[in-house]
Amino acid sequence: YLPAVPACPVTQGTGKVGLPGSCRSYSIQEIICEIIRINKPINTMKNNFTWFLLCLACMMTLSCSDKKNTADESEKGVSTVLPDTKNEVAVQILKKRDFHHELVSNGKISARGKADLRFETGEVIAHIYVKNGDRVQKGQKLADLDKFRLEQKLSQSEDALLKAELELKDVLIGQGYSPDDFSKVPAETMKIAKVKSGYEQSKSQYELAKREMEHATLIAPFDGVVANLFSKPYNPANTSEAFCTIIDSKGMEADFTVLENELAFIRMGDKVVITPYAGGDAFEGSVSEINPLVDANGMVKVKALVNAGGKLFSGMNVRVSVRRSLGERLVIPKSAVVLRSGKQVVFTLKDGKAMWNYVNTGLENAIECVVSDKSQKGIEDGLLEGDTVIVTGNLNLAHEAEVYVK
């Protein structure tokens, strides 16, 4: 008969069977339980405390062993994840070359030729021959009014003028002048005679009726595109608003502003590049106007002529870039400059190592900037022509860090 190992106070009764004198391997917890079973005195507080300390020490030994194994595995993982490698960089040989200074501003496109056309009388619109977006030629008919009332008004004013001419002749004949030749009538006498006969008033009404008749048909004043046409036929014309707008889309202007301290870098005729924010191709132009007045915000208004071939629309938002050559300078990409402790730093390559150089940058454009030249007298922070400049992979470099060129 083999007695079972009783429930251990530490393991809370695992139910394992012990075999005294056998070759079976016992765990530390089972050994402790067996010792307690054999040697445990009844109602002895001192012995209970002694055995409790013995069990606690064994358990701490096992826990420390597990932690050591876990730490060893973590160190092994870290050494695998963080290999010791060199920094990969790209370099560029520093040379003097032409630097194109660039002023960048926001602007709006406007048409050089723009005409708001309107009717001069409120007659009913009889015909509309075009619609928004149509291209028209100079002299092309756009719309007509109903001309019945205008024709009657012109006829009446013409009859009134003829009647006034007869009255004028009667006045002059009554004063003794020949009706066949009024050239000898004094100017002051002729003026009084015209007032008495009503000739001047009748002539004025006739000219007005004639003009209204002529403007009952809208004609395109130049080649362009129709815009803002919202009226409908068989409705009275609104004389207080434009019937439509004709825009010369072939000749466009870009209106933009520059800071007053940038005014020295812009001249009449400078080349500009216009890029619509809506996307599409960029267009070239030239500066045509510089307003000689600085506004309250320190800005100066500038205009540039753009030949967009009808691909730009009036009112479009554009990016304006004004470029001007400033001669040969030491020029580096902007990506080569990093900040260290609030100062500008450029790394150069020497013997496979990155060398730390303090620099000062000057004028810049969208992708490049001018860097200080140490060969010039009085300049301590800068670079020299022929230096190998690190242009990429320099964000986390340190002085004399080993690098390799990709």
Side-chain angles (χ1 to χ4, degrees), residues 106-115 222 245-256 274 286 288-289 301-318 320:
N106 296 323
K108 275 187 176 293
I109 294 296
S110 62
R112 279 186 288 175
K114 180 180 178 182
F222 48 78
T245 302
I246 304 299
I247 299 173
D248 182 8
S249 59
K250 293 184 179 179
M252 308 298 286
E253 290 179 334
D255 300 325
F256 61 99
I274 309 297
S286 59
S288 60
E289 292 183 24
K301 293 183 179 180
V302 183
K303 286 187 177 183
L305 296 179
V306 185
N307 185 12
K311 295 182 179 180
L312 293 179
F313 298 96
S314 184
M316 289 184 70
N317 295 304
V318 294
V320 183

Side-chain angles (χ1 to χ4, degrees), residues 186-210:
E188 188 65 25
T189 304
M190 179 62 76
K191 182 178 180 181
I192 295 173
K194 287 181 178 180
V195 172
K196 286 182 178 181
S197 62
Y199 176 82
E200 289 293 345
Q201 183 178 1
S202 298
K203 184 179 180 181
S204 176
Q205 291 176 353
Y206 171 76
E207 295 292 341
L208 179 60
K210 184 179 178 181

Side-chain angles (χ1 to χ4, degrees), residues 68-84:
K68 182 177 179 181
N69 293 334
T70 302
D72 292 342
E73 292 178 358
S74 299
E75 291 178 0
K76 182 179 180 181
V78 170
S79 62
T80 303
V81 173
L82 300 175
D84 185 14

Side-chain angles (χ1 to χ4, degrees), residues 71-368:
D72 292 342
E73 292 178 358
S74 299
E75 291 178 0
K76 182 179 180 181
V78 170
S79 62
T80 303
V81 173
L82 300 175
D84 185 14
T85 59
K86 294 182 180 179
N87 296 290
E88 183 178 322
V89 299
V91 298
Q92 176 180 306
I93 304 299
L94 183 60
K95 295 180 180 180
K96 285 188 176 182
R97 54 191 176 88
D98 284 340
F99 175 71
H100 294 275
H101 183 251
E102 184 179 32
L103 294 178
V104 179
S105 180
N106 296 323
K108 275 187 176 293
I109 294 296
S110 62
R112 279 186 288 175
K114 180 180 178 182
D116 292 329
L117 306 181
R118 68 189 69 209
F119 289 110
E120 296 187 0
T121 58
E123 301 297 329
V124 174
I125 300 173
H127 303 284
I128 297 177
Y129 304 103
V130 294
K131 61 181 182 298
N132 286 323
D134 284 352
R135 292 192 174 274
V136 295
Q137 304 295 323
K138 181 179 179 179
Q140 182 176 335
K141 186 185 294 187
L142 305 178
D144 279 332
L145 292 178
D146 185 355
K147 299 180 181 179
F148 176 77
R149 291 179 181 275
L150 298 176
E151 289 173 348
Q152 296 301 315
K153 184 178 180 180
L154 179 60
S155 178
Q156 292 174 2
S157 61
E158 186 176 5
D159 291 342
L161 179 59
L162 292 174
K163 184 178 179 180
E165 288 179 354
L166 294 175
E167 292 290 339
L168 176 61
K169 289 181 180 181
D170 288 343
V171 172
L172 294 175
I173 291 172
Q175 294 183 4
Y177 295 101
S178 172
D180 299 327
D181 187 9
F182 289 150
S183 61
K184 297 180 180 180
V185 180
E188 188 65 25
T189 304
M190 179 62 76
K191 182 178 180 181
I192 295 173
K194 287 181 178 180
V195 172
K196 286 182 178 181
S197 62
Y199 176 82
E200 289 293 345
Q201 183 178 1
S202 298
K203 184 179 180 181
S204 176
Q205 291 176 353
Y206 171 76
E207 295 292 341
L208 179 60
K210 184 179 178 181
R211 175 181 173 84
E212 289 177 351
M213 186 65 182
E214 292 174 350
H215 287 76
T217 300
L218 287 183
I219 303 296
F222 48 78
D223 297 349
V225 179
V226 179
N228 294 338
L229 198 166
F230 306 112
S231 299
K232 301 294 182 182
Y234 313 115
N235 291 279
N238 189 345
T239 58
S240 62
E241 296 181 357
F243 175 78
C244 68
T245 302
I246 304 299
I247 299 173
D248 182 8
S249 59
K250 293 184 179 179
M252 308 298 286
E253 290 179 334
D255 300 325
F256 61 99
T257 57
V258 297
L259 294 170
E260 57 180 311
N261 59 354
E262 296 175 335
L263 196 57
F265 300 105
I266 189 170
R267 295 285 187 275
M268 293 287 293
D270 282 352
K271 299 299 181 182
V272 301
V273 176
I274 309 297
T275 307
Y277 282 114
D281 298 332
F283 304 94
E284 293 186 352
S286 59
V287 176
S288 60
E289 292 183 24
I290 301 175
N291 187 27
L293 180 66
V294 180
D295 63 17
N297 298 319
M299 308 297 288
V300 178
K301 293 183 179 180
V302 183
K303 286 187 177 183
L305 296 179
V306 185
N307 185 12
K311 295 182 179 180
L312 293 179
F313 298 96
S314 184
M316 289 184 70
N317 295 304
V318 294
R319 178 181 180 270
V320 183
S321 174
V322 184
R323 297 177 180 177
R324 188 161 177 253
S325 177
L326 299 181
E328 291 190 346
R329 307 286 179 92
L330 285 181
V331 182
I332 59 174
K334 284 185 175 181
S335 60
V337 183
V338 294
L339 291 178
R340 295 290 188 270
S341 302
K343 294 185 178 181
Q344 294 178 318
V345 172
V346 172
F347 288 96
T348 55
L349 181 64
K350 186 176 181 180
D351 299 330
K353 294 183 179 181
M355 308 305 293
W356 179 307
N357 301 273
Y358 286 113
V359 298
N360 294 313
T361 58
L363 299 174
E364 62 183 40
N365 55 30
I367 58 174
E368 299 174 327

